[in-house]
Amino acid sequence: MLGNINRMTQLWPAPYHPDPIIHTQVIPGSKSLTNRAYVLAALADGPSTLVGALRSRDTDLMESALESMGVQFTRDGDAVTATPGALTGAEVDCGLAGTVMRFVPAVAAFASGPVLIDGDPQARSRPVSTILNALRDLGVHVDGDSLPFTVNGSGSALGGRVEIDASSSSQFVSALLLAGARFERGVQLVHTGGKLPSMPHIQMTVDMVRDAGVTVETGDNEWTVQPGPIAGRTWMIEPDLSNATPFLAAAAVTGGEVTVPFWPQETTQAGDAIRGILERMGCDVSLVPNGPAHALKVTGPEGGKLRGISLDMSDIGELTPTVAALAAHATTPSELTGIAHLRGHETDRLAALSAEINALGGQCDELDDGLRITPAPLHSGTWHSYADHRMATAGAIIGLTVEGVTVEDIGTTAKTLPGFEHMWSGMVGGAHG
């Protein structure tokens, strides 16, 4: 195993604050945008600069992976410049980052030499064979079908038409779209499986590839990336809206008011869907002018009395832990569906959420493709994170209104939001209502 990070598993007393929280929280840059911009920068024909890029375990792993393959990175305040070079063989640690384990193999196809990719023990059960088989079909020699595996790059690859079943993760589609222009024939990608999850992430990828000067044609479950140069450019990274959702949930469950500055008016981030979800559950939600940008302000219902919700979350699965925590507070039942693919995330999120909600006295039942959450009084106990950053933040939300909740391994939030626990404690400590 390469470079596994060993954390001491500690119990974090989740701050208890059932009274209304009034708070403004600045959120760092989007992981999804940052890691896509890094990949495009690594494959570009000149330097790129990322402004506002996230610094977290996932993005640091991506930067380290690309650096080990020959990309140079320099920092100047809030900006990082990536200067591409001839890609070489390397050993890569993907940690538990899906974007690294699935995007980097497509970059490694253009390295001159073998790229060995491994990660955390939990990562070895995450689906990855789809991208490896796709690369084989596109003319790349790959050894292995799961972590650890080796992409034997030869500096170039033929490309062409490839059919894949990406129903377990949209990241397989994004990986091929990001690298598609570097293949000699480009890539014609056809999805042959069931409903694609997380479509906003695919649209994000398409938009960014086009912004890098590449021609991308889209159809029904089909994408064609024309071969050609990928332009170096400046990428302005939006705040990570999914990382904002636990803080907005704090307003919802306490009947308080939380504001997140610099919320984009238009975005492809899945986290933007939290606006409509919170409204349907009984919150007041508004996008208000905030200097040269806008801020999102969420006001929870009096006493945090939320309504349950029936919701197809197939496009926004990453929000499930936050929405499940909200549903556990609601006064009526909720059904969250379209999320069978979450069984292959950092952990089996459906089983984990059900186990942890039920362990605290709740009633959460697994469905074939989701969860049914029925209101029940919650009590103190330990909320396990399963090395999953979004499970950990869900436990923090529960702990706001349930006294005596401890969250195991809160440090796993460093995957996408380093310092979460200090931000959360600062919100609660500065709250007034």
Side-chain angles (χ1 to χ4, degrees):
M1 241 291 298
L2 299 174
N4 183 29
I5 291 180
N6 294 313
R7 299 187 199 88
M8 290 182 64
T9 300
Q10 296 179 334
L11 297 180
W12 177 68
Y16 175 66
H17 194 290
D19 296 326
I21 284 178
I22 313 296
H23 184 65
T24 296
Q25 182 64 59
V26 175
I27 302 294
S30 161
K31 178 203 75 173
S32 298
L33 290 167
T34 298
N35 275 356
R36 282 163 173 78
Y38 271 152
V39 170
L40 288 168
L43 296 171
D45 60 1
S48 297
T49 299
L50 286 69
V51 179
L54 176 67
R55 293 298 306 272
S56 71
R57 187 182 184 215
D58 274 18
T59 59
D60 285 350
L61 286 167
M62 179 65 84
E63 183 178 321
S64 295
L66 299 174
E67 189 171 46
S68 70
M69 295 165 63
V71 182
Q72 295 182 349
F73 293 91
T74 56
R75 296 187 177 277
D76 182 10
D78 191 35
V80 55
T81 296
T83 303
L87 298 175
T88 63
E91 293 189 355
V92 169
D93 175 16
C94 70
L96 197 53
T99 51
V100 181
M101 73 177 70
R102 293 165 183 154
F103 292 0
V104 169
V107 178
F110 304 100
S112 297
V115 178
L116 170 65
I117 301 178
D118 201 355
D120 290 1
Q122 299 97 325
R124 296 185 177 187
S125 63
R126 297 193 69 179
V128 74
S129 62
T130 300
I131 185 64
L132 304 182
N133 288 329
L135 290 174
R136 292 183 179 108
D137 290 343
L138 293 169
V140 182
H141 179 205
V142 181
D143 294 325
D145 293 304
S146 60
L147 289 171
F149 58 83
T150 300
V151 179
N152 297 287
S154 60
S156 64
L158 190 60
R161 179 183 169 90
V162 62
E163 295 184 356
I164 68 171
D165 179 356
S167 55
S168 64
S169 175
S170 66
Q171 290 174 349
F172 299 128
V173 174
S174 288
L176 295 171
L177 296 180
L178 289 166
R182 286 289 299 267
F183 289 87
E184 293 174 19
R185 296 180 181 173
V187 169
Q188 182 185 4
L189 174 62
V190 180
H191 166 63
T192 59
K195 181 177 173 62
L196 269 172
S198 307
M199 282 299 293
H201 283 101
I202 295 177
Q203 188 58 52
M204 174 190 292
T205 304
V206 169
D207 288 352
M208 292 182 71
V209 172
R210 285 173 172 163
D211 287 344
V214 175
T215 299
V216 184
E217 299 156 7
T218 63
D220 185 17
N221 286 334
E222 186 172 327
W223 301 263
T224 300
V225 184
Q226 298 295 339
I230 297 172
R233 53 158 290 163
T234 297
W235 298 99
M236 304 298 295
I237 306 299
E238 300 170 356
D240 193 309
L241 306 188
S242 294
N243 280 344
T245 63
F247 298 93
L248 300 172
V253 301
T254 66
E257 181 181 288
V258 170
T259 300
V260 175
F262 311 114
W263 197 279
Q265 287 186 274
E266 295 183 5
T267 182
T268 51
Q269 288 193 64
D272 192 48
I274 196 66
R275 294 194 287 162
I277 294 169
L278 290 172
E279 281 186 328
R280 288 179 58 187
M281 297 188 79
C283 298
D284 290 328
V285 180
S286 57
L287 199 59
V288 298
N290 181 238
H294 284 73
L296 185 69
K297 182 168 70 173
V298 170
T299 305
E302 185 175 354
K305 295 188 181 302
L306 299 168
R307 296 189 292 267
I309 190 170
S310 293
L311 187 63
D312 178 351
M313 300 191 71
S314 54
D315 282 344
I316 53 173
E318 68 197 64
L319 303 188
T320 300
T322 293
V323 178
L326 290 167
H329 284 87
T331 57
T332 56
S334 297
E335 281 199 4
L336 314 179
T337 57
I339 45 177
H341 61 284
L342 295 191
R343 293 191 170 96
H345 274 225
E346 282 82 345
T347 186
D348 179 340
R349 282 183 176 164
L350 302 187
L353 286 164
S354 182
E356 297 312 303
I357 290 172
N358 292 338
L360 298 187
Q363 185 176 338
C364 181
D365 299 307
E366 279 193 65
L367 309 174
D368 287 343
D369 69 339
L371 300 171
R372 179 184 296 113
I373 300 172
T374 305
L378 301 178
H379 57 67
S380 62
T382 298
W383 178 280
H384 297 91
S385 72
Y386 304 81
D388 185 330
H389 57 131
R390 300 206 193 280
M391 283 296 299
T393 58
I397 297 167
I398 297 287
L400 281 175
T401 59
V402 180
E403 193 168 10
V405 171
T406 55
V407 178
E408 174 258 340
D409 192 15
I410 194 66
T412 196
T413 54
K415 184 176 190 293
T416 59
L417 188 55
F420 166 82
E421 63 270 38
H422 305 299
M423 297 165 67
W424 193 261
S425 297
M427 172 186 73
V428 173
H432 59 278

